[in-house]
Amino acid sequence: MTETTRTPSRAALPALLGAGLMAVAVAAAIGGAAGALAVPASGEARYTMADFATVPKIDAHVHLHNADAAFVDAARRLGFKVLTINVDYPDFPPLDEQQRVAIALRQARPAEVAWAVSFSSDTSDQPQWLDATKQRIEAGLKAGAVGVKVWKNIGMSLRDREGRLVMIDDARFQPLFSWFEERGITMLGHQGEPHNCWLPLDRMTVINDREYFAHHPQYHMALHPEMPSWEDQMAARDRMVAAHPKLKFVGMHMASLERNVDELAAFLDRFPLAKVDLAARIGQLQYQSQRDREKVRRFMIKYQDRLVYGTDVSQPPQQSGAALMKEVEPVWRMHWRYFNTEESFKVSDLEQPVTGLGLPKAVVDKLYHLNAERSFPAAWKAAR
């Protein structure tokens, strides 16, 4: 049996690379078919589709820009809490407005909403930038922020006075990241882009990327050899993490190592404090599991303590909570189906059906909430 389901759209490109962190597009709703057996032949206890709304879950990568808590309330009815992340992205509201909304949601629903603060790097070459940035982050932490988002505009759009791109391991940022280390502040790092961004269209692994770059050639790095390569971006990120061995680092979007779970495993082995979220890259996992399901399944089980569930869905200020939920719920259900059952079904990112991984309950619990709760221990707690 197959069934078509939409995955979240491709994560947005940086300011230079234009397009925003786009909202999820949904082609068709998930049906109510039952999942795999609760206790399969292997003896592993597993969740089914019937368990979806009752199991605690956290979407640890969303961008909510509407202070109305309707979406949060609807998510709670499906067992979800959220981490809403501020981003220094020009197509989003200004950072101060993003922060205002995040704090309002956190105050209204402290048991369901956590948030991450961010900062501008535009004046990072100026002497006062470091102190001003620390003050901004301190204020955010005092207002309940549980981490700091550092975005891919560093490395892909920020330029120095000579017009050269500034990479994430540039000396100007090192005092800030050392301060994160000293204070135990968690850094949510999004560096680089999907490897597909540097490939010809006919070699891209998921349909969503292929369609996007076909219509936005200005953002397609394969057409811009003057820009840093994917390898350059990853090397700069790795140098930065290596220079701060005590940094609590969460690599957004599978740390941009979504093309190969072996490469991601090597990153996690090299940096034992690092975790990664799966936001907007589950289609890449599904692509790999079409080719070697057991390899992907083994990866998920081996690194079960290092993986955090997220989608990267975004809510424009004018979008109602009901409208956003209409988009998100089918995606949440499709992901649940992929991780928990062994059913075969069609997803929009791939031309052929994918078979679910049928992960054990203990792995799913870590992926969906325990790892996020351990990474952000001050989050999702109502005032006493």
Side-chain angles (χ1 to χ4, degrees):
M1 170 178 156
T2 63
E3 200 165 81
T4 302
T5 313
R6 289 293 292 177
T7 56
S9 10
R10 205 185 60 68
L13 295 164
L16 172 70
L17 307 176
L21 293 156
M22 298 178 290
V24 172
V26 179
I30 296 288
L37 294 175
V39 183
S42 64
E44 295 175 341
R46 298 180 187 168
Y47 292 118
T48 71
M49 291 306 297
D51 296 313
F52 171 75
T54 62
V55 176
K57 299 177 294 297
I58 295 171
D59 188 332
H61 194 145
V62 303
H63 306 282
L64 302 181
H65 300 143
N66 186 327
D68 185 345
F71 174 76
V72 175
D73 292 341
R76 182 181 62 238
R77 291 191 286 272
L78 295 177
F80 268 101
K81 303 174 183 179
V82 298
L83 171 61
T84 184
I85 301 173
N86 289 183
V87 185
D88 183 25
Y89 174 56
D91 280 9
F92 278 2
L95 276 175
D96 286 348
E97 175 61 13
Q98 292 184 49
Q99 183 164 311
R100 184 194 69 78
V101 170
I103 292 172
L105 288 170
R106 165 71 178 171
Q107 290 176 341
R109 302 291 188 272
E112 284 78 44
V113 178
W115 72 286
V117 67
S118 192
F119 58 88
S120 173
S121 59
D122 290 347
T123 61
S124 55
D125 60 342
Q126 299 179 14
Q128 69 274 20
W129 175 83
L130 180 61
D131 285 342
T133 298
K134 286 183 177 180
Q135 290 173 14
R136 178 183 182 84
I137 292 169
E138 282 276 19
L141 295 173
K142 289 179 180 178
V146 297
V148 183
K149 177 65 175 281
V150 181
W151 199 46
K152 61 192 173 186
N153 51 350
I154 301 173
M156 299 194 78
S157 66
L158 179 68
R159 294 181 180 269
D160 64 19
R161 294 179 182 181
E162 286 72 44
R164 295 170 300 198
L165 283 166
V166 178
M167 304 300 282
I168 193 66
D169 63 335
D170 190 275
R172 71 181 68 182
F173 299 116
Q174 301 320 300
L176 181 66
F177 300 152
S178 293
W179 183 66
F180 289 176
E181 277 188 291
E182 295 164 6
R183 291 285 308 279
I185 297 170
T186 300
M187 174 176 165
L188 288 70
H190 180 179
Q191 284 70 56
E193 275 287 43
H195 186 260
N196 279 340
C197 184
W198 283 267
L199 296 179
L201 293 174
D202 61 0
R203 290 179 55 199
M204 292 185 182
T205 53
V206 293
I207 293 170
N208 195 28
D209 285 350
R210 198 151 56 237
E211 291 178 345
Y212 181 85
F213 289 117
H215 290 92
H216 299 83
Q218 68 272 35
Y219 310 139
H220 185 187
M221 290 298 96
L223 305 180
H224 299 279
E226 75 280 4
M227 292 288 287
S229 67
W230 177 84
E231 289 80 5
D232 292 335
Q233 298 287 350
M234 297 302 96
R237 188 271 316 285
D238 288 354
R239 287 193 297 268
M240 181 276 294
V241 178
H244 301 280
K246 296 181 181 179
L247 178 65
K248 295 179 180 179
F249 182 79
V250 180
M252 305 282 93
H253 310 295
M254 297 178 68
S256 293
L257 298 169
E258 73 291 323
R259 71 173 182 173
N260 188 320
V261 293
D262 289 337
E263 291 177 336
L264 181 54
F267 172 84
L268 293 171
D269 290 343
R270 181 181 177 189
F271 302 113
L273 292 185
K275 297 183 175 70
V276 297
D277 80 12
L278 308 185
R281 299 296 185 270
I282 292 172
Q284 298 284 0
L285 276 181
Q286 293 170 333
Y287 173 82
Q288 292 179 66
S289 66
Q290 282 182 331
R291 285 145 185 80
D292 193 338
R293 175 182 175 274
E294 287 308 308
K295 179 179 179 179
V296 174
R297 190 174 188 274
R298 286 194 302 270
F299 167 83
M300 297 293 295
I301 293 172
K302 180 176 180 179
Y303 294 95
Q304 60 186 272
D305 295 311
R306 316 283 295 280
L307 309 175
V308 178
Y309 177 75
T311 58
D312 196 21
V313 300
S314 62
Q315 179 187 29
Q318 70 277 9
Q319 187 179 36
S320 70
L324 180 60
M325 180 54 70
K326 186 176 180 181
E327 295 178 354
V328 175
E329 183 177 351
V331 176
W332 280 345
R333 289 184 180 274
M334 180 272 290
H335 290 162
W336 184 262
R337 188 178 188 183
Y338 174 62
F339 290 122
N340 287 281
T341 82
E342 294 184 329
E343 296 176 4
S344 178
F345 55 99
K346 186 75 172 63
V347 298
S348 65
D349 266 348
L350 303 172
E351 294 174 353
Q352 300 299 322
V354 66
T355 300
L357 298 179
L359 296 173
K361 282 184 176 181
V363 176
V364 171
D365 286 337
K366 291 177 181 179
L367 173 65
Y368 269 90
H369 73 99
L370 292 177
N371 290 342
E373 290 165 350
R374 292 163 183 165
S375 299
F376 309 105
W380 306 292
K381 293 181 179 178
R384 295 181 179 178

mmCIF file of all heavy atoms in Angstrom, residues 40-74:
data_model
loop_
_atom_site.group_PDB
_atom_site.id
_atom_site.type_symbol
_atom_site.label_atom_id
_atom_site.label_comp_id
_atom_site.label_asym_id
_atom_site.label_seq_id
_atom_site.Cartn_x
_atom_site.Cartn_y
_atom_site.Cartn_z
ATOM 1 N N PRO A 40 6.899 -6.595 17.386
ATOM 2 C CA PRO A 40 7.211 -7.378 16.200
ATOM 3 C C PRO A 40 7.951 -8.649 16.554
ATOM 4 O O PRO A 40 8.282 -8.907 17.716
ATOM 5 C CB PRO A 40 8.092 -6.424 15.387
ATOM 6 C CG PRO A 40 8.678 -5.511 16.401
ATOM 7 C CD PRO A 40 7.653 -5.360 17.473
ATOM 8 N N ALA A 41 8.255 -9.426 15.527
ATOM 9 C CA ALA A 41 8.877 -10.727 15.743
ATOM 10 C C ALA A 41 10.196 -10.612 16.492
ATOM 11 O O ALA A 41 10.594 -11.511 17.219
ATOM 12 C CB ALA A 41 9.085 -11.427 14.403
ATOM 13 N N SER A 42 10.900 -9.504 16.315
ATOM 14 C CA SER A 42 12.189 -9.328 16.982
ATOM 15 C C SER A 42 12.046 -9.180 18.495
ATOM 16 O O SER A 42 13.030 -9.267 19.216
ATOM 17 C CB SER A 42 12.884 -8.074 16.431
ATOM 18 O OG SER A 42 12.123 -6.919 16.755
ATOM 19 N N GLY A 43 10.850 -8.932 18.966
ATOM 20 C CA GLY A 43 10.626 -8.738 20.391
ATOM 21 C C GLY A 43 10.748 -7.300 20.832
ATOM 22 O O GLY A 43 10.513 -6.997 22.001
ATOM 23 N N GLU A 44 11.129 -6.385 19.917
ATOM 24 C CA GLU A 44 11.235 -4.973 20.261
ATOM 25 C C GLU A 44 9.845 -4.365 20.383
ATOM 26 O O GLU A 44 9.014 -4.522 19.496
ATOM 27 C CB GLU A 44 12.000 -4.214 19.174
ATOM 28 C CG GLU A 44 13.448 -4.623 19.029
ATOM 29 C CD GLU A 44 14.105 -3.928 17.849
ATOM 30 O OE1 GLU A 44 13.371 -3.439 16.964
ATOM 31 O OE2 GLU A 44 15.342 -3.879 17.801
ATOM 32 N N ALA A 45 9.605 -3.677 21.469
ATOM 33 C CA ALA A 45 8.346 -2.960 21.604
ATOM 34 C C ALA A 45 8.390 -1.723 20.713
ATOM 35 O O ALA A 45 9.363 -0.969 20.722
ATOM 36 C CB ALA A 45 8.135 -2.564 23.057
ATOM 37 N N ARG A 46 7.324 -1.515 19.949
ATOM 38 C CA ARG A 46 7.248 -0.374 19.042
ATOM 39 C C ARG A 46 5.918 0.341 19.204
ATOM 40 O O ARG A 46 4.915 -0.250 19.588
ATOM 41 C CB ARG A 46 7.383 -0.828 17.577
ATOM 42 C CG ARG A 46 8.693 -1.478 17.236
ATOM 43 C CD ARG A 46 8.715 -1.879 15.775
ATOM 44 N NE ARG A 46 9.900 -2.663 15.453
ATOM 45 C CZ ARG A 46 10.055 -3.336 14.327
ATOM 46 N NH1 ARG A 46 9.092 -3.321 13.425
ATOM 47 N NH2 ARG A 46 11.158 -4.014 14.108
ATOM 48 N N TYR A 47 5.937 1.609 18.870
ATOM 49 C CA TYR A 47 4.700 2.371 18.796
ATOM 50 C C TYR A 47 4.012 2.098 17.458
ATOM 51 O O TYR A 47 4.636 1.665 16.490
ATOM 52 C CB TYR A 47 4.973 3.864 18.922
ATOM 53 C CG TYR A 47 5.460 4.300 20.281
ATOM 54 C CD1 TYR A 47 6.716 4.883 20.440
ATOM 55 C CD2 TYR A 47 4.658 4.135 21.415
ATOM 56 C CE1 TYR A 47 7.164 5.294 21.681
ATOM 57 C CE2 TYR A 47 5.109 4.546 22.669
ATOM 58 C CZ TYR A 47 6.362 5.125 22.789
ATOM 59 O OH TYR A 47 6.807 5.533 24.022
ATOM 60 N N THR A 48 2.722 2.388 17.413
ATOM 61 C CA THR A 48 1.948 2.288 16.186
ATOM 62 C C THR A 48 1.377 3.655 15.841
ATOM 63 O O THR A 48 1.524 4.621 16.593
ATOM 64 C CB THR A 48 0.796 1.284 16.354
ATOM 65 O OG1 THR A 48 -0.188 1.852 17.237
ATOM 66 C CG2 THR A 48 1.278 -0.042 16.920
ATOM 67 N N MET A 49 0.699 3.740 14.728
ATOM 68 C CA MET A 49 0.042 4.995 14.367
ATOM 69 C C MET A 49 -1.011 5.376 15.393
ATOM 70 O O MET A 49 -1.250 6.561 15.631
ATOM 71 C CB MET A 49 -0.582 4.885 12.974
ATOM 72 C CG MET A 49 0.416 4.798 11.830
ATOM 73 S SD MET A 49 1.652 6.135 11.797
ATOM 74 C CE MET A 49 0.610 7.575 11.560
ATOM 75 N N ALA A 50 -1.609 4.395 16.029
ATOM 76 C CA ALA A 50 -2.634 4.682 17.033
ATOM 77 C C ALA A 50 -2.056 5.379 18.265
ATOM 78 O O ALA A 50 -2.794 6.015 19.022
ATOM 79 C CB ALA A 50 -3.336 3.387 17.451
ATOM 80 N N ASP A 51 -0.744 5.285 18.445
ATOM 81 C CA ASP A 51 -0.105 5.908 19.606
ATOM 82 C C ASP A 51 0.268 7.366 19.364
ATOM 83 O O ASP A 51 0.700 8.059 20.301
ATOM 84 C CB ASP A 51 1.182 5.150 19.969
ATOM 85 C CG ASP A 51 0.917 3.721 20.403
ATOM 86 O OD1 ASP A 51 0.009 3.523 21.225
ATOM 87 O OD2 ASP A 51 1.617 2.819 19.922
ATOM 88 N N PHE A 52 0.144 7.834 18.146
ATOM 89 C CA PHE A 52 0.709 9.126 17.753
ATOM 90 C C PHE A 52 0.352 10.252 18.723
ATOM 91 O O PHE A 52 1.228 10.977 19.198
ATOM 92 C CB PHE A 52 0.258 9.486 16.339
ATOM 93 C CG PHE A 52 0.609 10.892 15.929
ATOM 94 C CD1 PHE A 52 1.903 11.231 15.604
ATOM 95 C CD2 PHE A 52 -0.370 11.881 15.870
ATOM 96 C CE1 PHE A 52 2.241 12.522 15.237
ATOM 97 C CE2 PHE A 52 -0.051 13.172 15.506
ATOM 98 C CZ PHE A 52 1.261 13.494 15.183
ATOM 99 N N ALA A 53 -0.904 10.435 19.017
ATOM 100 C CA ALA A 53 -1.332 11.604 19.799
ATOM 101 C C ALA A 53 -1.080 11.447 21.294
ATOM 102 O O ALA A 53 -1.161 12.430 22.035
ATOM 103 C CB ALA A 53 -2.813 11.892 19.553
ATOM 104 N N THR A 54 -0.759 10.248 21.756
ATOM 105 C CA THR A 54 -0.640 10.016 23.198
ATOM 106 C C THR A 54 0.802 10.011 23.692
ATOM 107 O O THR A 54 1.037 10.132 24.899
ATOM 108 C CB THR A 54 -1.305 8.686 23.583
ATOM 109 O OG1 THR A 54 -0.644 7.609 22.913
ATOM 110 C CG2 THR A 54 -2.780 8.698 23.200
ATOM 111 N N VAL A 55 1.754 9.869 22.803
ATOM 112 C CA VAL A 55 3.164 9.816 23.205
ATOM 113 C C VAL A 55 3.714 11.241 23.293
ATOM 114 O O VAL A 55 3.489 12.049 22.389
ATOM 115 C CB VAL A 55 3.979 8.990 22.198
ATOM 116 C CG1 VAL A 55 5.475 9.008 22.555
ATOM 117 C CG2 VAL A 55 3.471 7.561 22.138
ATOM 118 N N PRO A 56 4.450 11.596 24.356
ATOM 119 C CA PRO A 56 5.047 12.936 24.436
ATOM 120 C C PRO A 56 6.018 13.171 23.272
ATOM 121 O O PRO A 56 6.839 12.304 22.955
ATOM 122 C CB PRO A 56 5.802 12.915 25.777
ATOM 123 C CG PRO A 56 5.171 11.821 26.557
ATOM 124 C CD PRO A 56 4.731 10.795 25.559
ATOM 125 N N LYS A 57 5.915 14.361 22.661
ATOM 126 C CA LYS A 57 6.746 14.685 21.502
ATOM 127 C C LYS A 57 7.128 16.162 21.559
ATOM 128 O O LYS A 57 6.362 16.983 22.074
ATOM 129 C CB LYS A 57 5.987 14.403 20.195
ATOM 130 C CG LYS A 57 5.589 12.937 20.011
ATOM 131 C CD LYS A 57 4.771 12.722 18.749
ATOM 132 C CE LYS A 57 3.410 13.393 18.782
ATOM 133 N NZ LYS A 57 2.539 12.865 19.843
ATOM 134 N N ILE A 58 8.289 16.479 20.993
ATOM 135 C CA ILE A 58 8.731 17.864 20.873
ATOM 136 C C ILE A 58 9.183 18.095 19.442
ATOM 137 O O ILE A 58 10.005 17.323 18.919
ATOM 138 C CB ILE A 58 9.892 18.172 21.844
ATOM 139 C CG1 ILE A 58 9.429 18.061 23.297
ATOM 140 C CG2 ILE A 58 10.475 19.567 21.579
ATOM 141 C CD1 ILE A 58 10.559 18.130 24.315
ATOM 142 N N ASP A 59 8.646 19.117 18.817
ATOM 143 C CA ASP A 59 9.202 19.591 17.554
ATOM 144 C C ASP A 59 10.206 20.676 17.944
ATOM 145 O O ASP A 59 9.831 21.802 18.267
ATOM 146 C CB ASP A 59 8.116 20.148 16.635
ATOM 147 C CG ASP A 59 8.656 20.466 15.249
ATOM 148 O OD1 ASP A 59 9.861 20.763 15.122
ATOM 149 O OD2 ASP A 59 7.867 20.428 14.269
ATOM 150 N N ALA A 60 11.483 20.325 17.927
ATOM 151 C CA ALA A 60 12.533 21.191 18.462
ATOM 152 C C ALA A 60 13.127 22.120 17.414
ATOM 153 O O ALA A 60 14.244 22.621 17.604
ATOM 154 C CB ALA A 60 13.626 20.344 19.094
ATOM 155 N N HIS A 61 12.365 22.384 16.350
ATOM 156 C CA HIS A 61 12.849 23.338 15.350
ATOM 157 C C HIS A 61 11.665 23.893 14.578
ATOM 158 O O HIS A 61 11.283 23.390 13.527
ATOM 159 C CB HIS A 61 13.834 22.660 14.391
ATOM 160 C CG HIS A 61 14.615 23.620 13.553
ATOM 161 N ND1 HIS A 61 15.921 23.395 13.194
ATOM 162 C CD2 HIS A 61 14.275 24.808 12.979
ATOM 163 C CE1 HIS A 61 16.361 24.391 12.444
ATOM 164 N NE2 HIS A 61 15.362 25.261 12.288
ATOM 165 N N VAL A 62 11.064 24.937 15.123
ATOM 166 C CA VAL A 62 9.995 25.654 14.434
ATOM 167 C C VAL A 62 10.294 27.147 14.524
ATOM 168 O O VAL A 62 11.162 27.584 15.282
ATOM 169 C CB VAL A 62 8.596 25.351 15.032
ATOM 170 C CG1 VAL A 62 8.303 23.858 15.001
ATOM 171 C CG2 VAL A 62 8.472 25.899 16.452
ATOM 172 N N HIS A 63 9.559 27.923 13.731
ATOM 173 C CA HIS A 63 9.703 29.379 13.729
ATOM 174 C C HIS A 63 8.302 29.977 13.780
ATOM 175 O O HIS A 63 7.624 30.097 12.754
ATOM 176 C CB HIS A 63 10.442 29.851 12.477
ATOM 177 C CG HIS A 63 11.774 29.183 12.276
ATOM 178 N ND1 HIS A 63 12.896 29.542 12.979
ATOM 179 C CD2 HIS A 63 12.143 28.161 11.463
ATOM 180 C CE1 HIS A 63 13.911 28.784 12.596
ATOM 181 N NE2 HIS A 63 13.479 27.931 11.680
ATOM 182 N N LEU A 64 7.846 30.311 14.978
ATOM 183 C CA LEU A 64 6.508 30.851 15.169
ATOM 184 C C LEU A 64 6.588 32.367 15.279
ATOM 185 O O LEU A 64 7.278 32.892 16.148
ATOM 186 C CB LEU A 64 5.873 30.259 16.432
ATOM 187 C CG LEU A 64 5.756 28.728 16.476
ATOM 188 C CD1 LEU A 64 5.082 28.278 17.767
ATOM 189 C CD2 LEU A 64 5.030 28.178 15.256
ATOM 190 N N HIS A 65 5.833 33.062 14.411
ATOM 191 C CA HIS A 65 5.892 34.525 14.367
ATOM 192 C C HIS A 65 4.538 35.169 14.621
ATOM 193 O O HIS A 65 4.317 36.324 14.275
ATOM 194 C CB HIS A 65 6.460 34.979 13.015
ATOM 195 C CG HIS A 65 7.840 34.456 12.752
ATOM 196 N ND1 HIS A 65 8.273 34.070 11.497
ATOM 197 C CD2 HIS A 65 8.873 34.233 13.604
ATOM 198 C CE1 HIS A 65 9.517 33.638 11.576
ATOM 199 N NE2 HIS A 65 9.901 33.720 12.842
ATOM 200 N N ASN A 66 3.642 34.398 15.223
ATOM 201 C CA ASN A 66 2.323 34.897 15.598
ATOM 202 C C ASN A 66 2.142 34.620 17.085
ATOM 203 O O ASN A 66 2.234 33.467 17.522
ATOM 204 C CB ASN A 66 1.238 34.197 14.766
ATOM 205 C CG ASN A 66 -0.137 34.770 14.992
ATOM 206 O OD1 ASN A 66 -0.465 35.214 16.091
ATOM 207 N ND2 ASN A 66 -0.976 34.751 13.963
ATOM 208 N N ALA A 67 1.902 35.663 17.855
ATOM 209 C CA ALA A 67 1.836 35.523 19.316
ATOM 210 C C ALA A 67 0.571 34.825 19.809
ATOM 211 O O ALA A 67 0.466 34.491 20.993
ATOM 212 C CB ALA A 67 1.958 36.895 19.973
ATOM 213 N N ASP A 68 -0.389 34.609 18.926
ATOM 214 C CA ASP A 68 -1.582 33.844 19.294
ATOM 215 C C ASP A 68 -1.161 32.396 19.551
ATOM 216 O O ASP A 68 -0.513 31.767 18.713
ATOM 217 C CB ASP A 68 -2.604 33.921 18.156
ATOM 218 C CG ASP A 68 -3.921 33.250 18.495
ATOM 219 O OD1 ASP A 68 -3.984 32.486 19.483
ATOM 220 O OD2 ASP A 68 -4.908 33.485 17.767
ATOM 221 N N ALA A 69 -1.549 31.839 20.678
ATOM 222 C CA ALA A 69 -1.122 30.494 21.066
ATOM 223 C C ALA A 69 -1.996 29.390 20.483
ATOM 224 O O ALA A 69 -1.891 28.240 20.918
ATOM 225 C CB ALA A 69 -1.100 30.380 22.590
ATOM 226 N N ALA A 70 -2.828 29.698 19.476
ATOM 227 C CA ALA A 70 -3.742 28.689 18.942
ATOM 228 C C ALA A 70 -2.989 27.481 18.388
ATOM 229 O O ALA A 70 -3.404 26.330 18.585
ATOM 230 C CB ALA A 70 -4.628 29.307 17.860
ATOM 231 N N PHE A 71 -1.895 27.713 17.681
ATOM 232 C CA PHE A 71 -1.140 26.580 17.146
ATOM 233 C C PHE A 71 -0.549 25.740 18.270
ATOM 234 O O PHE A 71 -0.591 24.500 18.224
ATOM 235 C CB PHE A 71 -0.030 27.061 16.212
ATOM 236 C CG PHE A 71 0.869 25.948 15.749
ATOM 237 C CD1 PHE A 71 0.452 25.056 14.779
ATOM 238 C CD2 PHE A 71 2.127 25.771 16.319
ATOM 239 C CE1 PHE A 71 1.271 24.008 14.369
ATOM 240 C CE2 PHE A 71 2.953 24.728 15.911
ATOM 241 C CZ PHE A 71 2.519 23.847 14.928
ATOM 242 N N VAL A 72 -0.002 26.383 19.269
ATOM 243 C CA VAL A 72 0.587 25.669 20.403
ATOM 244 C C VAL A 72 -0.472 24.813 21.100
ATOM 245 O O VAL A 72 -0.214 23.665 21.475
ATOM 246 C CB VAL A 72 1.225 26.664 21.383
ATOM 247 C CG1 VAL A 72 1.739 25.956 22.628
ATOM 248 C CG2 VAL A 72 2.351 27.441 20.699
ATOM 249 N N ASP A 73 -1.667 25.359 21.240
ATOM 250 C CA ASP A 73 -2.744 24.602 21.889
ATOM 251 C C ASP A 73 -3.148 23.398 21.045
ATOM 252 O O ASP A 73 -3.394 22.308 21.581
ATOM 253 C CB ASP A 73 -3.946 25.510 22.120
ATOM 254 C CG ASP A 73 -3.671 26.584 23.166
ATOM 255 O OD1 ASP A 73 -2.722 26.421 23.964
ATOM 256 O OD2 ASP A 73 -4.396 27.600 23.176
ATOM 257 N N ALA A 74 -3.210 23.587 19.734
ATOM 258 C CA ALA A 74 -3.549 22.465 18.853
ATOM 259 C C ALA A 74 -2.450 21.409 18.882
ATOM 260 O O ALA A 74 -2.725 20.202 18.857
ATOM 261 C CB ALA A 74 -3.780 22.974 17.431
#
